[in-house]
Amino acid sequence: MPSSPDHATDETPRLGASVPPLREWASTYLIGIFMGSADAVPGVSGGTIALIVGIYERLITAITAVTPRAVLGFLKALTPLDGGVSVRRAEAIFDDVDGWFLLTLLLGILTAVIIVTRIITVLNESAPVVLYGFFFGLIAASAVVLLRAISIRTVSAGVAAVAGFLLAFLMSGQAEELFGGGLPLVFVAGTLAVSAMILPGLSGSLILVILGQHARLSETLSEFVDGLAALATGGSVDAVTGPGTVVVTFIAGGLIGLFTISRAVRYALNRNREVTLAFLVALVVGALRAPVATVRGEVGFSTETLVTFLGVSVVGAVVVLALDYYAADFEIEEI
């Protein structure tokens, strides 16, 4: 018996109906480029960029909508496991999580991260003083901006601030000794970094600097991309497997963090905003030790090194202060 007209209409594929126009696609991709560039360096947050361009609320709403239940429902709709394949049901779920927006934004972020991490890898090998001096300026200016935006009025907030500062200060340069430098640390780094990336003012790369994984992961990602490019022209699979394992581990940690820690942070902000913000901002202040410790360990501080380090840090600080100027309407208490 032929299907009824209503049933045929219900199951007719119409994925193209929800595809945004090219102009919106290009705009979202460009925003992703800016966010990815910001997230790839410590002290600058992709969340701040999202605030400046006016998509932060949409971004958080979309991320919150991506739950394990939604992902499972989408996959089941495209398989015969749940009453047959239903493109329309899959499309409805995809639209509910603002899928085209998230997908396009993610592509822009990934593009920028790949480009910026390659630059970081080159600088880490050829000019570490310039790289970490720039990082120091980014972090220092971010700390100033964030400290100016919060107030510590209770004992509990003060205790949280001290705890956050000590945690970041003691962890900076010591993470590998405490946790080892293997895949478990990479997984933890992914979990914490991705959670931080969606918060304005707190950079995921800052977490990687604290954990001593920023340069390592930047280099590994560049090796992975190079390995994929070589594989397409007959290169060795081994060139992809090694760095690919690290990249996949980081991504797995990031997905876990997105569904757990990022939501826990938002819950803590809703429950006790002053204490949570005091802790998070103090992390940024404590992290100032990390670039200094790295330069001291790799190069050592001479007069020339110190002048270069401080000079480049001024440039980094100007970048953050310029972003803060354009985000003048942003109040951290309104996160």
Side-chain angles (χ1 to χ4, degrees):
M1 177 181 294
S3 301
S4 67
D6 291 341
H7 179 73
T9 300
D10 180 67
E11 294 302 323
T12 299
R14 56 182 189 89
L15 280 172
S18 63
V19 176
L22 181 60
R23 182 175 181 179
E24 181 181 342
W25 222 334
S27 174
T28 304
Y29 180 78
L30 185 60
I31 292 171
I33 292 285
F34 288 126
M35 289 182 63
S37 300
D39 277 326
V41 294
V44 185
S45 169
T48 300
I49 302 297
L51 275 169
I52 292 173
V53 299
I55 67 162
Y56 184 72
E57 184 176 350
R58 182 181 180 183
L59 175 62
I60 294 301
T61 300
I63 290 175
T64 305
V66 181
T67 63
R69 181 177 180 180
V71 173
L72 184 60
F74 178 79
L75 295 176
K76 288 172 67 176
L78 295 177
T79 64
L81 299 177
D82 189 21
V85 175
S86 175
V87 175
R88 182 168 183 169
R89 192 164 70 247
E91 181 195 18
I93 296 172
F94 194 72
D95 286 344
D96 284 343
V97 301
D98 210 353
W100 287 116
F101 167 74
L102 284 178
L103 184 61
T104 309
L105 194 70
L106 180 61
L107 287 174
I109 290 172
L110 288 176
T111 301
V113 167
I114 290 172
I115 294 172
V116 174
T117 52
R118 184 171 296 276
I119 295 171
I120 289 172
T121 298
V122 172
L123 288 176
N124 186 55
E125 295 174 354
S126 61
V129 177
V130 172
L131 177 65
Y132 287 99
F134 184 68
F135 284 177
F136 183 87
L138 294 174
I139 298 170
S142 294
V144 171
V145 170
L146 292 171
L147 286 171
R148 191 181 63 201
I150 68 168
S151 57
I152 299 176
R153 296 167 293 187
T154 63
V155 174
S156 55
V159 170
V162 172
F165 173 82
L166 289 177
L167 177 63
F169 186 84
L170 295 175
M171 288 288 290
S172 296
Q174 304 296 322
E176 292 201 4
E177 287 77 3
L178 293 174
F179 301 105
L183 292 180
L185 181 57
V186 173
F187 183 85
V188 171
T191 302
L192 298 178
V194 172
S195 301
M197 282 179 183
I198 63 173
L199 293 173
L202 188 61
S203 167
S205 290
L206 177 70
I207 303 297
L208 298 183
V209 168
I210 293 174
L211 295 176
Q213 298 299 296
H214 193 277
R216 174 194 178 186
L217 290 172
S218 296
E219 182 178 354
T220 301
L221 180 59
S222 295
E223 290 176 355
F224 178 64
V225 173
D226 289 342
L228 286 177
L231 189 63
T233 57
S236 171
V237 175
D238 293 338
V240 177
T241 305
T245 301
V246 177
V247 171
V248 170
T249 301
F250 180 83
I251 292 173
L255 291 174
I256 296 296
L258 195 62
F259 291 123
T260 56
I261 293 180
S262 63
R263 284 171 164 77
V265 170
R266 287 198 293 273
Y267 172 80
L269 284 168
N270 290 331
R271 186 172 181 86
N272 196 323
R273 192 171 301 270
E274 182 180 353
V275 170
T276 306
L277 289 175
F279 178 81
L280 294 175
V281 172
L283 285 177
V284 180
V285 180
L288 283 168
R289 178 191 177 194
V292 176
T294 301
V295 172
R296 182 186 292 118
E298 294 186 5
V299 180
F301 274 105
S302 63
T303 301
E304 181 181 355
T305 299
L306 183 61
V307 170
T308 302
F309 184 89
L310 293 177
V312 178
S313 70
V314 171
V315 177
V318 169
V319 170
V320 173
L321 294 176
L323 284 173
D324 178 61
Y325 174 79
Y326 286 105
D329 294 333
F330 159 54
E331 295 292 339
I332 194 170
E333 289 83 356
E334 297 176 2
I335 296 176

